[in-house]
Amino acid sequence: ADFNIHNYAMSGYGNYQSLLQLRDLLQQKSAPEVVILAYGSFHHQRNVASRMWEQTIAGIPFATGFAYPYLRLEEGVMQHYNAPLVYDLWPLQGLSAAVHVAEGKYAQQHESTLNADAVTQHVIDEIHGICQSHEAHFILANVYDTEASARMLQHYAGKLPVIDLSLPPGDTTVQLSKY
């Protein structure tokens, strides 16, 4: 059998950007037969543009001034934003380990308030819904070996096809698990 495969992955994108790409694709072309969404728990930060994600991409030339699309769940309503990501160092952060650690704790606390799991589930559900409405098969493929990723696969087990393509750190063998 012949397959025509298109990879729309982009370095630095999250699942929300994948959703936007799928919408654009469907306006330009007919629906694909199968959509495979590469998912890893690291996408949570990207989907909500957390402070930790801003720190990760700070100073990367392609990200400078780039309007980054992201979602936030605010008072029960999903809000879309499209803004440059700006990471501002705390005073003395580059000079003091204590300030650096405090900023890291603040960033983790801030991220926990963004409901990133719920936002990511919303995005996955929306992609799944679009696929259903276009009679395309949808597969959620985990690519990152973490407890958070495993919880997400368990959440969707039995609801849609999921596959775990992740490898534990340092593992060079390939084992596929179906949930």
Side-chain angles (χ1 to χ4, degrees), residues 79-107:
Q79 298 291 332
H80 167 83
Y81 294 91
N82 196 31
L85 299 183
V86 177
Y87 177 74
D88 294 319
L89 288 173
W90 283 13
L92 303 177
Q93 184 175 344
L95 302 173
S96 166
V99 173
H100 182 76
V101 168
E103 191 283 336
K105 295 293 183 188
Y106 169 79

Side-chain angles (χ1 to χ4, degrees), residues 102-155:
E103 191 283 336
K105 295 293 183 188
Y106 169 79
Q108 287 176 341
Q109 172 60 29
H110 178 255
E111 186 168 315
S112 71
T113 68
L114 297 177
N115 300 305
D117 287 1
V119 169
T120 300
Q121 286 177 6
H122 170 84
V123 169
I124 292 170
D125 291 343
E126 193 161 338
I127 292 171
H128 182 229
I130 289 171
C131 289
Q132 285 180 317
S133 69
H134 286 86
E135 298 180 1
H137 299 279
F138 176 66
I139 300 169
L140 181 63
N142 179 43
V143 296
Y144 196 56
D145 184 34
T146 63
E147 289 181 24
S149 294
R151 280 193 306 273
M152 189 66 77
L153 289 188
Q154 286 296 331
H155 172 79

Side-chain angles (χ1 to χ4, degrees), residues 32-105:
E33 291 182 40
V34 178
V35 172
I36 302 172
L37 178 66
Y39 161 79
S41 58
F42 58 88
H43 287 127
H44 296 205
Q45 292 179 344
R46 297 173 183 189
N47 294 334
V48 298
S50 72
R51 181 166 173 81
M52 292 171 73
W53 178 238
E54 290 174 336
Q55 181 182 23
T56 300
I57 66 168
I60 297 174
F62 82 83
T64 304
F66 174 70
Y68 191 86
Y70 61 95
L71 289 174
R72 296 276 172 93
L73 181 61
E74 298 171 353
E75 298 180 13
V77 177
M78 207 60 67
Q79 298 291 332
H80 167 83
Y81 294 91
N82 196 31
L85 299 183
V86 177
Y87 177 74
D88 294 319
L89 288 173
W90 283 13
L92 303 177
Q93 184 175 344
L95 302 173
S96 166
V99 173
H100 182 76
V101 168
E103 191 283 336
K105 295 293 183 188

